[in-house]
Amino acid sequence: MSGGLAAAGIGHGDAVGVLAGLPVDIAPVCQAIWMRGAAITMLHQPTPRTDLAVWVRDTETVLRMIEADAVVLGAPFDAAEPVLRERGIRVVRIEELAAGVDTDPLSTTESDIALQQLTSGSTGSPKAVRVTHGNFYTNAAAMFNRVKFSLDDDVMVSWLPLFHDMGMVGFLAVPMQFGAEVVCVTPLDFLARPLLWAELISKYRGTVTAAPNFAYSLLARRLRQAESPNIDLSSVRYMWNGAEPVDPDTMAELAEAGKPFGLSAMALTPVYGMAETTLAVSIPDPGQGTVVDVVDADLLEAVGKAVPVPVDGPANARKLPTLGYLVDDLEGRIVDDERQPLPVRSVGIIELRGRAVTSGYVTVDGFLSAQDEQGWLDTGDLGYFTEEGLVVVCGRRKDVIIMGGRNIYPTDIERAALRVRGVRPGNAVAVRLDAGDKRESFAVVVESAEYEDSDEVRRMEKDIVHGVFSEVGVRPRTVAVLGPGALPKTSSGKLRRAATAMHLR
């Protein structure tokens, strides 16, 4: 396949877009591109709901931005070939690459670009994180060292999309570097039958897997309904929960639902990562499980201090999942708005520095640095460190809702809304409403399969208001119950708060 790329004119330093859905195709394509010394960009994939005209326009913008020399095209997106060619985009089909002449790999250096990872933001103004071979190696080694990965015994299992960094880096590129065993299916396979995930872990004795919080909520529900005595989850060492806010209640529910199938509660581990650090930021030690930090909610919101309280202490206690310790070769600090370092348990902006941190982004306006003059990356996340060095993320700085001098984090509101019967797992958004002369407020928007049942909608709206008030002490100005698929999401499935807010204006 590398020879096929050579025949198509792909060489050292070139940029290549990949539009394919099957792991069995994507894995060798990635290796072939890297053998040519080129950089990969996994293109956002159209879905049945996608407006193809918009997708083509956005894809053309991305390809122009990364200065792509070609697009490697595979199933199930073969039908896109004529549309891409009409735009003057060179297309190389995966099945044609296999006929290439055998060729030796070109030499690359640590500073060569391996991956240009599209971020989860709006595709209207895209940007891609530049990840070098040096970034890759540093973060891969840090991840495998933290989890004490054994090439002889460990098996990774994933259904994550390969155009998202958790799937592409964590469950394809990283294990490639070490020769680890990975079992991959597609997100569509999982969504069509969520129990397949558990069955694959059982069949292949999977030890490491990962998913966003909503998927664990879905898996817990399916395990409670499962009658199959053949599912065995006792092999699992790590079930990483990342890519979206972690709900400790979800982890507790999964631990209970998985117990009859041998799932260890200590395997359920919240993690923190981002494309700007190649992937991993923090991971718990093996066997650490889900560690919850219980703090005074009033002090957290009013003065930005995470003051510990007893688990069975005051009613205003807030349970926040810790996300493990920073991985090797990564340094972190918490700073205020003036970028002055803050002490332990003070909430501020999380900044990171290290060899796995990207130098910057490629954008439609050119290169944009991600680091300051001292090498620090502003993550845009608010959080703090515990005395033990555990990382806690409170939310995105731009999403914080300020009411009466309190900083209210959307994740707390969303967790309360998701506990309401009828709300689809992972499909609740709290958005800030700037009210001009009025005090700032917020709205809660959820999805439900019962959105056309007026009685159920009224019941959900009432329960959401009550649940949110019980959780954060303030009521939403608006609650909206929408049908499945109505909430705006990024290409990787993350809910878009800003886009949701625009629809409410």
Side-chain angles (χ1 to χ4, degrees), residues 229-248:
N230 300 321
I231 295 177
D232 180 3
L233 303 179
S234 61
S235 61
V236 179
R237 294 200 301 118
Y238 270 113
M239 271 190 163
W240 290 331
N241 186 334
E244 68 182 26
V246 177
D247 184 355

Side-chain angles (χ1 to χ4, degrees), residues 1 29 38 52 66 110 149 206 209 221-222 228 237 264 268 301 351 382 396 423 469 471 498:
M1 295 177 80
V29 163
L52 285 180
I66 64 173
E110 288 194 5
F149 197 92
T209 191
R221 186 191 307 169
R222 293 296 188 269
S228 172
R237 294 200 301 118
S264 168
L268 309 183
E301 295 168 357
E351 292 192 337
L382 294 174
R396 296 290 290 171
V423 175
F469 184 78
E471 184 74 16

